[in-house]
Amino acid sequence: KAVSTLSGAAPLDDAKTGAATTLALAEAAVQSEARRFFVARGYDVSDASAAASRTALLAKNLPAGTTADELRRLFGSSAGLDGVHVPESGLLAILEFSSSADARKAFKALAYRRFKSAPLYLDWAPKKRDDGAAAAAPYPAPAAEERSPGDDDEAHTVLEVPTTLFVKNVAFETTEARLAAHFAPLDVRSVRLPKAAGDARHKGYGFVEFACSRDADAALRSTRGPLDGRALDVARSAREATAAPPKTARTKLVVRNLAFAATVADVRGLFAAFGPLRSVRVPKRADGRPRGFAFVAFERARDAAASRDALASAHLYGRHLVLEWADEVQLGGEGS
């Protein structure tokens, strides 16, 4: 039967895509839904470098379909339980407490306690933004450009040129993920916080690349709120003048850490859910053994970006896929 996977992705037919591909897409759909759910409530569960909360617990690997009411009953004996957040899948939950002492007591009392058919795995949730999820967007979204109904979306995307801003006075505890979230809902393509050799901390400044100059201009015009207690100083990067902008938006991906059991059909079925593909290739060694990576080229940049985001934590045949942009040199001569 047809399986609905990700928002904006085409339904898949199990018989055509195979069980491994269908499972990977289902996993990605659940992960994407959970990320959006928690980000809307101020928690970025995908940021492994985020500081831990002292008042919120993250319940992991819950039995599918777990509800907030079930967790309230389980934690009912714990004092100070203020809130329970559970996405539709019910596989994860965040429990908020009035104080760090209440959270610690609940952790000690219930960690690894049997819940339904499995032990209850508890961890500390990432620190919640002080101003909540709504304040994660201190910059207004740029006004939509007037376009005629016949305008081609992809042509519009290709003509947009990335623009980089130089950001100073960045707090040492600020991560690249938090800096990117600070500029939401503007389209941030990448964030880099340089570090000195042998030093785990960054240098207190960084570079934020926006997908187009319109978003960068909006960031420069906007009143900037503090991030981690520091007022950011934002200006255009001096490197912008010397760097040659890409002529087109990126449409090609390298898929690394690919299981040897994965075939071209598996890879094609996985990525075709997001849009039409131009080519797919799984290189092999001289003896015919796969090399553990693949090349995927989309016809549209927006589909490539959507797949990269949605499959960032997905697994295929038990291997965590690592997705990176591929430039023309990497893909030279690669075809399907």
Side-chain angles (χ1 to χ4, degrees), residues 15 80 86 101 139 142 159 167-168 175 207 226 228 240 247 251 259 262 284:
V86 186
Y139 300 88
L159 291 175
V167 184
K168 297 189 294 183
T175 64
F207 302 90
D228 294 328
E240 192 73 18
K247 296 179 180 180
T251 59
K284 295 183 178 181

Side-chain angles (χ1 to χ4, degrees), residues 29-46:
V30 169
Q31 292 169 341
S32 294
E33 182 266 337
R35 282 198 301 268
R36 290 192 297 268
F37 177 88
F38 287 122
V39 165
R41 287 153 180 80
Y43 297 97
D44 185 359
V45 295
S46 63

Side-chain angles (χ1 to χ4, degrees), residues 154-214:
E154 188 60 20
H156 179 74
T157 300
V158 169
L159 291 175
E160 291 180 341
V161 177
T163 300
T164 301
L165 298 184
F166 178 56
V167 184
K168 297 189 294 183
N169 200 37
V170 180
F172 290 124
E173 62 267 27
T174 297
T175 64
E176 291 179 346
R178 285 181 59 77
L179 184 57
H182 188 66
F183 286 95
L186 301 178
D187 191 355
V188 175
R189 174 171 289 182
S190 66
V191 174
R192 187 168 65 88
L193 294 172
K195 297 179 181 179
D199 193 344
R201 297 195 308 177
H202 61 74
K203 297 181 179 181
Y205 66 84
F207 302 90
V208 179
E209 181 187 23
F210 293 86
C212 62
S213 58
R214 187 174 65 254

Side-chain angles (χ1 to χ4, degrees), residues 4-6 23-38 64 87-92 310:
S4 178
T5 54
L6 292 155
L23 181 62
L25 285 166
E27 177 192 25
V30 169
Q31 292 169 341
S32 294
E33 182 266 337
R35 282 198 301 268
R36 290 192 297 268
F37 177 88
F38 287 122
E88 185 177 356
S89 64
L91 299 174
L92 288 171

Side-chain angles (χ1 to χ4, degrees), residues 27-28 31 35 46 308-315 320-321 323:
E27 177 192 25
Q31 292 169 341
R35 282 198 301 268
S46 63
R308 184 173 182 263
D309 179 64
L311 298 175
S313 300
H315 295 73
H320 172 225
L321 300 179
L323 307 183

Side-chain angles (χ1 to χ4, degrees), residues 79-294:
L81 181 62
D82 286 343
V84 179
H85 304 296
V86 186
E88 185 177 356
S89 64
L91 299 174
L92 288 171
I94 286 182
L95 303 106
E96 298 174 328
F97 292 84
S98 301
S99 67
S100 58
D102 291 334
R104 286 196 300 271
K105 289 179 182 177
F107 187 98
K108 292 179 180 178
L110 294 172
Y112 302 108
R113 173 177 171 178
R114 192 165 189 80
F115 175 60
K116 294 187 177 180
S117 59
L120 181 65
Y121 294 99
L122 296 178
D123 199 352
W124 293 102
K127 188 175 181 181
K128 186 177 183 179
R129 290 187 62 90
D130 294 336
D131 45 2
Y139 300 88
E145 293 183 357
E146 294 185 5
R147 302 170 60 199
S148 63
D151 285 348
D152 178 77
D153 288 341
E154 188 60 20
H156 179 74
T157 300
V158 169
L159 291 175
E160 291 180 341
V161 177
T163 300
T164 301
L165 298 184
F166 178 56
V167 184
K168 297 189 294 183
N169 200 37
V170 180
F172 290 124
E173 62 267 27
T174 297
T175 64
E176 291 179 346
R178 285 181 59 77
L179 184 57
H182 188 66
F183 286 95
L186 301 178
D187 191 355
V188 175
R189 174 171 289 182
S190 66
V191 174
R192 187 168 65 88
L193 294 172
K195 297 179 181 179
D199 193 344
R201 297 195 308 177
H202 61 74
K203 297 181 179 181
Y205 66 84
F207 302 90
V208 179
E209 181 187 23
F210 293 86
C212 62
S213 58
R214 187 174 65 254
D215 281 4
D217 290 341
L220 286 170
R221 290 195 305 266
S222 302
T223 302
R224 292 175 288 278
L227 176 60
D228 294 328
R230 303 286 291 272
L232 301 179
D233 185 1
V234 182
R236 290 197 182 277
S237 171
R239 299 181 181 181
E240 192 73 18
T242 58
K247 296 179 180 180
T248 60
R250 291 178 289 188
T251 59
K252 300 164 187 171
L253 294 168
V254 176
V255 184
R256 302 190 187 278
N257 201 37
L258 189 67
F260 291 156
T263 64
V264 171
D266 290 326
V267 177
R268 183 180 296 279
L270 182 61
F271 286 89
F274 299 90
L277 301 176
R278 193 165 69 244
S279 65
V280 174
R281 186 171 184 270
V282 179
K284 295 183 178 181
R285 304 177 190 274
D287 59 5
R289 292 184 301 155
R291 298 177 64 185
F293 62 91

